[in-house]
Amino acid sequence: MDPAPSHLTAAPRPRQLSSVGAFGLVFVPFVSGYYLSYLYRTITALVSDGLVHDLDLSPADLGLLASMYFLALGLVQLPLGVWLDQYGPRRVQAALMAVAAAGALIFALADGFATLLVARTLIGLGVAGALMAGLKALQIWFPPERLALANGWYVMIGALGAVTATQPAEVLIALLGWRGLFQLLAVVTAASAILVLTLVPERSTGQRSGVELNAGLMSIYADRRFWRLAPLSATVIGSAWALQGLWAAPWLTNVEGFSRTETVNGLLFMACALSVGAFFLGFAADRLKAFGVTQAGVLGYAAALSLIAQLALVMRWPVPPILPWLVIAALGAGTVLSYAILANTFPKSVSGRANGALNMLHVAMAFSVQAGLGFIIELWSLDNGRPPVAAYQAAFGINLALQATALAWFTAAPRLVRRTYYPASSAVDAYPVKRPSRPPPVPYEAALSVWIGRVEAARSQLHWWRRTALISACLVVFLTVNAIESVQLASIVHVVLVDGRP
């Protein structure tokens, strides 16, 4: 009997772990790294005053320093998938966290801006795989029926790192200073690397060629449905990361006039909003399906709410100053929706690369916003040693206009992409889609693909019919109100006085 084709051969299954074993040996080691990645992402906002005081950094220096985290993280996203497939999440995560520990130690010992940039870059490289390696490890070791729950807890606990980068870190800074804090973080990060390397079981992984990977990525980036989602997800979520990670603290201090304690408390509330937002957005997307609201619809509404919050900041609306920042921070967890949309758009064979392709745009946008706002703010002259309010309004307003453009494209794009052919699977599947003479491996998959296409078309039609109905209802109300006013005006009795008598 001929051996089964290589693409149909089942991959070797890892040895099974109990629920307790999977939690203690896999979940805890990996989530510790993801927790630290969130802490490193947002800690710059808290230590910015110390850096300015000790090393005389300008706003542009601060923006570039904070953004180097995202630049380094983004550069690793595409090759990260190859490393995870070839070497496994255990080895990749342990090696990268060791790099992050070295970066934290260099940051603590830095005596100039150039050394800080190198250290921040190493930190970004070191935590680049914290999310993707953890999700891959959970997929390997957790049963499918518990995977969604494990992923939810993973993201939520990791986001608590942003909470730690507020009041708890402020206490440590008061005791140790920002240099002592980063020395402590270097030790904790190294311990996380050792934890992953010693506790997580080994698992052999199959290898994929670089040609196959690049072909899949090119097909993903050529897909118009990807570019319907990517601009909105990258601009709004990336901006939320950038603002919370750096510019929230200067805004609260220089624009709102908050004290140090009030600013730290504001950052704490924002971190809590980020953690809660991950749960709330997923819960809303799940519940609103019963009312015909898609995951893309939830993302669109959430993005619009974030834009309104940023507009309230720029226009200085009379609202509690911390309220818009809570909305902005909560949407930083919008990746819960973005990755879910990609999972429903692309086949499983390329879902990991699709997530990596989008995540690279997230971090690229976060880098651009953090660095760009600093350069824009520096164009204004200092007022009593601080940038004027107008500088922050202009910088935030430019970024807001970019996000509004992306939201407009996201709203209009369904008319352009609803009939888009998906070519990405042809780069990795054994039977190319462009060769219809050869049948697909499983006939059921072909039927399922046709059915999914028709369901998507029906949902698109339903979306536009609802929009048309809403516009029609508004028009009816408008005409009815005008008609009532016309009748009232026509019914007015005019009394004319003649010689003082009616």
Side-chain angles (χ1 to χ4, degrees), residues 67-146:
S67 63
M68 289 304 295
Y69 171 97
F70 292 106
L71 176 62
L73 192 148
L75 291 176
V76 180
Q77 290 304 304
L78 296 183
L80 179 63
V82 180
W83 299 342
L84 291 174
D85 287 339
Q86 186 170 0
Y87 303 109
R90 168 180 168 269
R91 297 181 182 180
V92 172
Q93 176 71 346
L96 289 178
M97 291 302 290
V99 174
L105 181 59
I106 296 173
F107 197 99
L109 302 177
D111 57 357
F113 179 62
T115 308
L116 287 177
L117 283 180
V118 174
R120 185 70 172 170
T121 302
L122 290 177
I123 292 173
L125 289 173
V127 300
L131 175 61
M132 297 303 177
L135 295 180
K136 185 174 181 66
L138 297 183
Q139 184 178 10
I140 293 173
W141 294 106
F142 276 73
E145 63 273 11
R146 305 303 300 274

Side-chain angles (χ1 to χ4, degrees), residues 218-227 346 420-424:
M218 290 302 100
S219 296
I220 290 169
Y221 280 129
D223 195 299
R224 285 179 290 176
R225 293 177 300 175
F226 177 85
W227 289 110
F346 297 95
T420 301
Y421 164 72
Y422 173 63

Side-chain angles (χ1 to χ4, degrees), residues 154-199:
Y154 189 85
V155 174
M156 189 171 183
I157 293 177
L160 293 178
V163 179
T164 309
T166 55
Q167 283 288 8
E170 177 74 358
V171 173
L172 292 176
I173 291 175
L175 295 175
L176 307 173
W178 65 269
R179 294 185 184 274
L181 173 62
F182 272 86
Q183 290 175 358
L184 178 61
L185 288 176
V187 174
V188 174
T189 306
S192 174
I194 296 173
L195 202 65
V196 171
L197 190 62
T198 57
L199 290 185

Side-chain angles (χ1 to χ4, degrees), residues 482-493:
N482 286 341
I484 293 175
E485 291 178 354
S486 300
V487 172
Q488 290 177 347
L489 292 175
S491 302
I492 294 177
V493 177

